Amino acid sequence: SAVISQKPSRDICQRGTSLTIQCQVDSQVTMMFWYRQQPGQSLTLIATANQGSEATYESGFVIDKFPISRPNLTFSTLTVSNMSPEDSSIYLCSALIPPGPAYEQYFGPGTRLTVT
Amino acid sequence: EDKVVQSPLSLVVHEGDTVTLNCSYEVTNFRSLLWYKQEKKAPTFLFMLTSSGIEKKSGRLSSILDKKELFSILNITATQTGDSAVYLCDPLGIGNKLVFGAGTILRVKS
C-alpha cells in the first residue's frame, strides 16, 4: 500500500485567482494522476503525470488551465488557473503502486475547492 | 471508446440484507478491474481482479470477474449502515488509465 497526502485539504478562492494543490507519495512511483469530482458526479481524469515527461491531458482539459508539475518520483502539483465557480470541485491525486505484474491505484484524501 | 456501466445506480436496503452490485466494461487492452468504496472525499481500494472466475473476499465483501462477458460483481452480505457509500468499478486498461463508472450509491437503513 501507499500513503498519499494532499495540501490543502480545502480552500475557498475568489474568481480569477489560481490555486496550486500539492500531492506527496510516501514511495517512488512512476505514474500519478489528477482527478476532478464535481458535486454528485463520478471521478473525471484530468491528466496523467509521469516523472520526466510532459503531463498527458484528457479531452476537455488543457495545460493552460491545469498546469501540472512532476519534479520527482514522489511529488506532483496541480494548479487550477483563473478560477471560476465552475471549478468548484474535489480534486484528487492518485498513484499507481506496482506490487508486481498488476497495479493498484491509491488516492490522496482530496482537496475541496470552492470558488466564489 | 472505453466505457463502464454500473448498475443499479442507487440502492436502498435494510441492515442484514445482501446486495449485489454490477459492473460491465469495455476497455482497450484490459489489465485488471478495481473496486473502490467512496464515502466522503477519497475512494478507498477494495479489490483488484485480474483473473476470471477467482473470487476475492474481504470479510463480508466479495467480488468476481468474468473476462469473457466483460463483467464483474461486488457482493456485500449482512449489510451494515457503515456500508453506505458510493461503490466505483474501474477497469485498468491501456496506459494504466482507470475508467471510472458512475458508481452505485448504496444506502443501508438501520
Side-chain angles (χ1 to χ4, degrees):
Chain A
S1 64
V3 175
I4 303 177
S5 59
Q6 277 185 241
K7 290 194 298 186
S9 61
R10 59 173 59 224
D11 208 341
I12 300 173
C13 300
Q14 289 193 339
R15 182 196 299 260
T17 62
S18 298
L19 175 73
T20 295
I21 303 168
Q22 300 179 9
C23 179
Q24 181 76 51
V25 187
D26 69 346
S27 58
Q28 293 187 337
V29 296
T30 302
M31 301 189 75
M32 294 181 70
F33 304 87
W34 287 97
Y35 291 86
R36 180 173 74 181
Q37 187 171 32
Q38 295 180 306
Q41 297 186 25
S42 189
L43 287 79
T44 301
L45 180 63
I46 297 172
T48 302
N50 292 335
Q51 197 274 334
S53 62
E54 295 288 327
T56 303
Y57 289 83
E58 297 300 305
S59 175
F61 298 96
V62 295
I63 188 171
D64 289 345
K65 175 68 175 177
F66 298 101
I68 288 171
S69 78
R70 184 78 205 276
N72 57 52
L73 290 173
T74 65
F75 187 78
S76 179
T77 68
L78 170 76
T79 298
V80 186
S81 304
N82 189 25
M83 289 184 282
S84 66
E86 292 71 36
D87 295 319
S88 296
S89 185
I90 295 173
Y91 292 85
L92 295 136
C93 72
S94 72
L96 275 177
I97 311 297
Y103 293 84
E104 298 176 358
Q105 186 168 125
Y106 290 85
F107 287 85
T111 296
R112 188 182 296 275
L113 171 62
T114 302
V115 184
T116 60
Chain B
E1 182 179 327
D2 296 342
K3 66 177 182 181
V4 182
V5 177
Q6 290 188 245
S7 63
L9 289 180
S10 66
L11 191 57
V12 180
V13 301
H14 288 94
E15 275 191 312
D17 288 349
T18 294
V19 298
T20 298
L21 309 183
N22 305 297
C23 173
S24 64
Y25 63 90
E26 292 179 28
V27 173
T28 305
N29 291 349
F30 174 85
R31 299 185 64 168
S32 58
L33 186 139
L34 311 180
W35 281 96
Y36 289 88
K37 177 183 181 182
Q38 186 175 27
E39 292 175 88
K40 291 183 179 178
K41 283 196 292 189
T44 53
F45 173 79
L46 294 176
F47 295 110
M48 177 177 64
L49 305 165
T50 306
S51 302
S52 276
I54 299 175
E55 185 182 52
K56 292 226 174 171
K57 286 181 70 71
S58 177
R60 297 176 292 103
L61 277 67
S62 64
S63 185
I64 197 163
L65 174 68
D66 185 333
K67 291 167 73 173
K68 182 179 177 183
E69 299 297 328
L70 307 183
F71 190 82
S72 177
I73 61 171
L74 174 69
N75 282 317
I76 308 175
T77 59
T79 52
Q80 303 171 357
T81 55
D83 295 327
S84 296
V86 177
Y87 290 85
L88 299 165
C89 154
D90 311 295
L92 186 63
I94 191 168
N96 290 320
K97 185 172 68 176
L98 289 183
V99 180
F100 280 92
T104 293
I105 301 170
L106 174 64
R107 181 180 166 212
V108 181
K109 298 168 70 173
S110 58

